Amino acid sequence: MSTGQLFITVGAIVLLTLVILRINNVFFSTSSVMLDTKFGVMAVSLGSSIIEEATSKAFDSATDTSSVSSLSSLTDPLNLGPESGEVYPNFNDFDDFNNFSKSTEGDSTFQSAVFNIKCKVVYVNPTNPDVPSSVKTWHKKLTVTVTSPSMSDTVKLSTIFSYWYFR
């Protein structure tokens, strides 16, 4: 083997090594994106489940068994949250989810990652639903925040639940 052939062989080996490294890097990057997407979908699913569960409840503890026609009958904004003795999953109204938090740690159905869920319920004015209202309104906003050490981002979902009474 001449010196020229030796250089060509070494160059080919170097090129082959670079191609293999590049392909491994692409596989690793794709795998990372797929896991992040999987955890993101799971976080959105968890947040949506909490929202669906909350909206299936009564608007307020005052509307749990009867209807109200005055804002003064509703729960005070400073008292939003579960009433005395109420614990999850036996909440009876929407605002019981205020300051509710839950973790999937120890849940055998979530073996791939641990998710932490936090909820916040506030009254909102329909003209500016992004700003919490300090007074009672016919509209409450639930914001669900889902985080996980396995995700790079935080998933934040919100919904507005309104009280409608028809005679």
Side-chain angles (χ1 to χ4, degrees), residues 23-162:
I23 288 172
N24 281 339
N25 189 20
V26 168
F27 283 151
F28 177 73
S29 176
T30 302
S31 177
S32 176
V33 169
M34 286 176 52
L35 279 176
D36 205 36
T37 303
K38 175 184 171 185
F39 294 139
V41 169
M42 290 174 73
V44 169
S45 177
L46 285 169
S48 297
S49 295
I50 293 290
I51 287 174
E52 286 180 19
E53 184 178 357
T55 55
S56 71
K57 309 290 182 187
F59 179 75
D60 193 276
S61 60
T63 64
D64 185 26
T65 55
S66 62
S67 61
V68 296
S69 58
S70 170
L71 286 173
S72 63
S73 302
L74 298 177
T75 303
D76 189 70
L78 297 175
N79 294 329
L80 293 176
E83 286 76 36
S84 174
E86 280 187 337
V87 291
Y88 183 81
N90 298 321
F91 290 161
N92 66 347
D93 62 271
F94 185 79
D95 64 60
D96 288 346
F97 286 87
N98 187 35
N99 295 325
F100 172 70
S101 64
K102 179 181 177 181
S103 174
T104 62
E105 188 169 3
D107 188 342
S108 62
T109 57
F110 290 94
Q111 295 179 352
S112 58
V114 173
F115 293 94
N116 299 307
I117 304 165
K118 292 184 179 176
C119 301
K120 183 74 180 165
V121 177
V122 294
Y123 283 104
V124 292
N125 193 326
T127 58
N128 194 2
D130 292 331
V131 178
S133 173
S134 59
V135 296
K136 300 174 189 176
T137 68
W138 297 113
H139 315 279
K140 292 177 182 173
K141 180 178 181 179
L142 168 64
T143 302
V144 179
T145 305
V146 183
T147 59
S148 173
S150 303
M151 294 188 328
S152 56
D153 290 329
T154 298
V155 172
K156 201 172 197 179
L157 305 168
S158 63
T159 188
I160 295 177
F161 194 48
S162 301

Side-chain angles (χ1 to χ4, degrees), residues 1-9:
M1 179 180 281
S2 70
T3 306
Q5 291 173 329
L6 180 64
F7 282 128
I8 290 174
T9 303

